[in-house]
Each structure stands twice: as C-alpha cells, then as structure tokens.
Amino acid sequence: MSSVSLSAVSVRYPGGSVGLDAVDLEIGDGEFVALVGPSGSGKTTLLRTIAGFLSPTSGAIRIGGVAVAGEGSFVPPERRDLGMVFQQHAVWPHWSVGRNVDYPLRRARVPRAEREQRVAGALEMVGLEGYARRDPATLSGGQRQRVALARALVSRPRVLLLDEALSALDEPLRDRLRLELHALTRELGLTVVHVTHDRSEALALADRVAVLEAGAIRQVAPPEKLLREPADPFVARFLTDATVVAGAAEAGWFEAERHPLRLPADGVSGRVEAAILPSDVELVPSDEGAAVVRSSLFTERGGDVVVDWDGIALRAHTTGMRPVGGARVDVVVRRARFYPAD
C-alpha cells in the first residue's frame, strides 16, 4: 500500500514565516495528485516535507499507513521508499546512462546481476532501451529527463514525487512526455504527487488537483469539479482566470458596486463577490459598445480577450471572432458564481 496522509501538517521557518499551515491531505494508493498555486504558496514545501527534506513543525505524515514524521517519529528521506524527479534532471555527466540509473541500487547494495536487470528494465520503461552505455552529453534534454525518471523508478518506489519535472522542456516535447508519464504511472499503479506551475498540465494529468495559497489548501478536487465549482474566488481566479466583482445581492439580483453589471442571483443575499468565468462572457461587436478591447490573443480555442468595461478588466474566451485592440464591444455575462464577501 502506498497511500500518503498528512494530518494538520505545519511548517514554520526561523523568523516566524509560514511554509505550511495545518495542511490535511489524503492521497490514495495509486492516485495521481497535482499541487498548484502561485509562487510562495507552499506547493514545493509540501512536496519536500513528504520527501523528508523538511521536518514538520507540527502534525503527522503517514506513507502506506506508517508514520514517517510526527507522532514521535522521523524517517529520513532515503528510508521512505520514494522516487523523486526535479526540474533540473541532475544527470551526472561523468557517468554513463546506466551508471546514473544504477546509483540508488548501488547505494542499497543490490547485487550486480540484479542491478543490471533492473536498470535495463527501467530504461525500457522510459523508452531508452539499449542506452545504458551512452554518454549523457550525447542525449537531448528530453532524453536526460527520461534518465532521471528511470533512476527514480529503478528502486521500485512506493510513491513518485515530481517537482516541476517537465517545466524545463520545450513544447511539443513536454506535451509528449506528459502523455508518456501519464500512461507509465497508470501502468505501474504508482502513487504520484506532482508539483507544477502549469495549470493545464495539472488538470490534464491528475486524478485530483490541490490548489494552495499562503501555505494552505484552498480546494482539492477532480479537475472537472474544480473548473465547474471553484470553492472560492481565489480558486476561480487562479484556475479559470475568472474576473471577481464585488457587490450585493437582494431579491434574486446581484448588482455590482459602482458598475452597471446586474445578474440573476437566486438564493444569494447580502454582500457577495461574483466570479465571472471567461467562458461565460460573450462579446458583441458594436461601434457604440460599452467596453473597449485592451488585448486580444490567438489561442487554439479562438480568442483570449481582455476588455475594459467601465473600470472592470473582464476576460473572455471567444470563438469565431478575435476583436482587435481598441475595438468597442458590448458585453453579455451569461452567469456568475457567487461567494460571501470576506
């Protein structure tokens, strides 16, 4: 069993700064969980605490049901049966590919014949069959990252930890490795914790995504639910580029502060914040339109447009049109999600 459980885990640094703030997280056996959030949100701190590079100030961590931190115990990183791949692949240039992959087995004093067999198997898993004698200097960046992945897998870890493992690669290589990584971890039944700043990568790969801010988890849910039901305005802004507008709801209607925006708001009352997703905004070209296009970028979906609408910077996704900067448009907001104002 390779589940990971964090119970009220906090990390505080000298000087009082908070790395993690009472984090609770349950990761099931064989589950792929991605950690996302802005810089400084705590996602890498959380990963390093699971790995054992950081010790929690309070709380407990269990891997496979066994306490590895807290509860009066601390198991060092090398005894947690984890594999880890970093953004910088850290392939040692003075060793062959096979010796790089072999390193954790030599440290564990695995017999040579078994080492050779397991190295060959790990290289085959990552698509580098027959590369054991190659010089790392002859490999591409993507191949070196595969070597790092093979080294993490060769010791047959219970949990695989990925720290921005694909972010240093160029597209479309990164996209291809995402697909291969997804298929490989499913095939091996690995439990995976993946830190990434790429929201689309997290949503594409993970069974569940945890969104962090200021050392705390704001929401953890499957990708579909995160996009459909953000738990709060922060999650809506971070994952969907939603525009958040303050106002008040009364008698089934929301009215924005100092702005003409008015929307149906059944079941909501009092001071609230309306989160407007770009997919819920329609732009209609009009010479007398109330909004002005400030930026308009081409994407695979159509246009990614930001308009200035009476002081609100509103983002919209358009199909079939991509208005030019400076053009005037009318704005139709189909719906919004409402949250109690802080």
Side-chain angles (χ1 to χ4, degrees):
M1 189 172 76
S2 52
S3 60
V4 179
S5 173
L6 288 85
S7 302
V9 171
S10 294
V11 173
R12 285 177 169 77
Y13 298 109
S17 61
V18 176
L20 296 175
D21 186 13
V23 167
D24 292 315
L25 181 61
E26 298 289 335
I27 301 172
D29 187 13
E31 187 177 22
F32 195 127
V33 170
L35 308 178
V36 298
S39 297
S41 61
K43 52 189 185 293
T44 295
T45 299
L46 178 52
L47 193 78
R48 290 173 62 83
T49 305
I50 294 172
F53 300 139
L54 291 173
S55 181
T57 309
S58 59
I61 301 174
R62 302 177 74 86
I63 298 177
V66 177
V68 297
E71 301 180 355
S73 65
F74 182 80
V75 177
E78 64 273 14
R79 292 178 48 209
R80 295 193 182 188
D81 294 332
L82 307 175
M84 193 158 186
V85 183
F86 299 92
Q87 177 178 357
Q88 301 301 326
H89 37 69
V91 172
W92 292 292
H94 56 292
W95 287 348
S96 68
V97 166
R99 191 165 174 80
N100 266 278
V101 176
D102 185 45
Y103 176 71
L105 301 181
R106 280 185 285 113
R107 286 199 60 183
R109 299 186 177 182
V110 174
R112 180 173 180 175
E114 184 181 347
R115 294 203 315 263
E116 291 178 352
Q117 182 179 19
R118 285 169 63 174
V119 167
L123 288 174
E124 183 178 359
M125 276 193 294
V126 300
L128 294 177
E129 185 177 5
Y131 276 64
R133 297 184 181 276
R134 289 281 294 270
D135 183 341
T138 67
L139 304 182
S140 67
Q143 288 172 326
R144 287 195 292 272
Q145 195 67 318
R146 291 169 194 261
V147 173
L149 180 58
R151 186 173 57 206
L153 295 174
V154 76
S155 57
R156 298 170 183 168
R158 292 189 293 173
V159 181
L160 180 63
L161 305 179
L162 305 173
D163 189 5
E164 302 280 12
L166 304 179
S167 62
L169 303 176
D170 295 329
E171 292 285 5
L173 174 61
R174 184 165 71 239
D175 186 57
R176 187 165 72 247
L177 282 184
R178 280 182 197 141
L179 295 173
E180 293 173 2
L181 177 65
H182 186 270
L184 179 61
T185 54
R186 288 292 188 273
E187 179 184 339
L188 297 176
L190 276 173
T191 302
V192 183
V193 185
H194 177 37
V195 165
T196 178
H197 68 270
D198 188 324
R199 297 171 298 178
S200 61
E201 180 174 287
L203 296 169
L205 286 175
D207 299 311
R208 289 187 300 151
V209 178
V211 184
L212 285 86
E213 184 199 24
I217 293 180
R218 302 296 292 259
Q219 186 176 4
V220 56
E224 299 84 356
K225 183 171 183 178
L226 279 174
L227 294 177
R228 187 177 62 250
E229 303 173 25
D232 57 34
F234 172 82
V235 175
R237 272 193 302 259
F238 183 80
L239 276 184
T240 69
D241 297 315
T243 302
V244 178
V245 181
E250 185 178 357
W253 288 92
F254 167 83
E255 294 189 3
E257 294 178 350
R258 299 181 296 278
H259 193 275
L261 176 63
R262 190 170 187 266
L263 295 169
D266 293 335
V268 180
S269 63
R271 293 195 50 75
V272 296
E273 292 181 300
I276 304 167
L277 276 60
S279 57
D280 290 332
V281 177
E282 181 182 356
L283 303 180
V284 181
S286 171
D287 292 339
E288 305 299 325
V292 178
V293 175
R294 293 306 181 203
S295 69
S296 181
L297 303 177
F298 175 77
T299 70
E300 293 177 352
R301 300 183 300 253
D304 186 353
V305 184
V306 177
V307 300
D308 183 340
W309 183 26
D310 280 354
I312 292 178
L314 191 66
R315 195 162 188 164
H317 293 157
T318 63
T319 56
M321 65 166 289
R322 184 163 68 95
V324 298
R328 301 199 73 88
V329 293
D330 280 323
V331 177
V332 178
V333 178
R334 301 188 190 95
R335 65 185 69 84
R337 289 153 176 81
F338 299 99
Y339 304 92
D342 291 335

